[in-house]
Amino acid sequence: MKVRYLGHACFEFVAEKRILIDPFISQNPLCPIKLEELAEPDIILVTHGHADHLGDAIEISKKTGATIVAIHEVAIHAQLKGAVAEGMNIGGSISLEGVNIYMTEAKHSSAIDMNISGGHATGFVFGLEGKHIYHAGDTGIFRDMKLIGKLFDIYLALLPIGDRYTMGVKHAAVATKMLKPKYVIPMHYNTFPVIQQNPEEFRKLAEEESKAKVLILKPGEEIEL
């Protein structure tokens, strides 16, 4: 599979299907591409309703017909805006376009705006090429990360390290130990001054805490795993 980091918490996966996660693109100061340059996804995963995660998901879905998968409240909001969306909830799973998707808890808030509830913040575990990918969304560390690691043989974990609004470097390193992934990519840092972090510090701590290999991607970089 190919994995491209588009900054903040946005990733593009290309394997048997093209999956886009938290497409904060047009307003993202670190995103290296314009919205019109984005290839059409098959599935858009949205972890929660905040603008830096819901991002351009609705516009992309309306333009391409790609299905947004999100917690029930965010999915309903997207449908009312004219997007294609499938709702689900924490602990549940859905199979879409041959991709199995499981929704996890995340310790974070999720209002779409001051007047619209976005339900609960979430993460996702999904399968590609027989491998489990975990996108934690915006979250602090929580004990059930150990259970997620037990339930799924995590091949790649995408973890926030920005602090203030999510886990910081030290807690993300401990989360890596709990999840036991083969690879981990840090995310949700350096987009704005308040979440400025050094990913090399995370690499050092996470590789000391666990057997995982830390991959640090700059926005726009792509790797094949």
Side-chain angles (χ1 to χ4, degrees):
M1 75 182 79
K2 292 181 179 179
V3 184
R4 181 164 66 150
Y5 182 44
L6 294 176
H8 206 55
C10 180
F11 289 84
E12 182 184 49
F13 284 80
V14 182
E16 57 265 35
K17 294 293 178 180
R18 187 179 295 268
I19 298 176
L20 184 64
I21 310 173
D22 283 357
F24 178 47
I25 295 172
S26 61
Q27 300 299 313
N28 181 351
L30 296 185
C31 185
I33 67 168
K34 296 179 180 179
L35 194 57
E36 56 267 25
E37 297 172 331
L38 185 71
E40 293 189 6
D42 297 295
I43 299 169
I44 305 167
L45 302 181
V46 175
T47 61
H48 62 293
H50 289 165
D52 58 333
H53 294 263
L54 179 58
D56 302 290
I58 291 172
E59 181 179 347
I60 296 167
S61 173
K62 289 170 69 174
K63 180 181 178 181
T64 67
T67 301
I68 295 170
V69 178
I71 200 162
H72 177 76
E73 291 82 356
V74 173
I76 293 297
H77 171 75
Q79 290 168 358
L80 291 173
K81 293 288 186 178
V84 181
E86 290 281 352
M88 59 186 305
N89 220 307
I90 294 165
S93 61
I94 185 174
S95 182
L96 189 65
E97 304 262 357
V99 178
N100 294 319
I101 303 163
Y102 175 85
M103 181 172 278
T104 72
E105 181 180 18
K107 296 292 186 180
H108 194 66
S109 56
S110 181
I112 294 170
D113 60 33
M114 296 302 293
N115 300 308
I116 302 175
S117 170
H120 199 292
T122 71
F124 290 100
V125 177
F126 60 96
L128 282 179
E129 296 186 344
K131 301 178 176 72
H132 288 122
I133 316 301
Y134 173 48
H135 189 296
D138 276 8
T139 189
I141 193 170
F142 56 96
R143 288 183 182 272
D144 279 355
M145 285 182 169
K146 188 171 184 179
L147 182 59
I148 292 169
K150 185 175 181 179
L151 288 172
F152 303 96
D153 182 12
I154 304 295
Y155 182 72
L156 170 63
L158 312 171
L159 300 180
I161 66 166
D163 207 1
R164 185 156 178 165
Y165 293 100
T166 68
M167 296 185 288
V169 165
K170 292 181 181 179
H171 286 184
V174 175
T176 302
K177 182 178 181 180
M178 296 167 73
L179 291 161
K180 298 181 180 179
K182 183 172 183 179
Y183 299 104
V184 59
I185 298 175
M187 64 175 183
H188 205 277
Y189 66 97
N190 293 357
T191 318
F192 310 107
V194 294
I195 56 171
Q196 198 75 23
Q197 296 293 330
N198 181 359
E200 290 295 344
E201 182 183 351
F202 170 69
R203 188 206 302 270
K204 180 177 182 295
L205 291 175
E207 291 186 350
E208 285 175 356
E209 288 277 356
S210 72
K211 296 180 180 179
K213 181 176 177 57
V214 175
L215 306 171
I216 297 172
L217 301 183
K218 296 178 181 178
E221 284 191 334
E222 180 179 273
I223 58 171
E224 189 163 351
L225 293 174

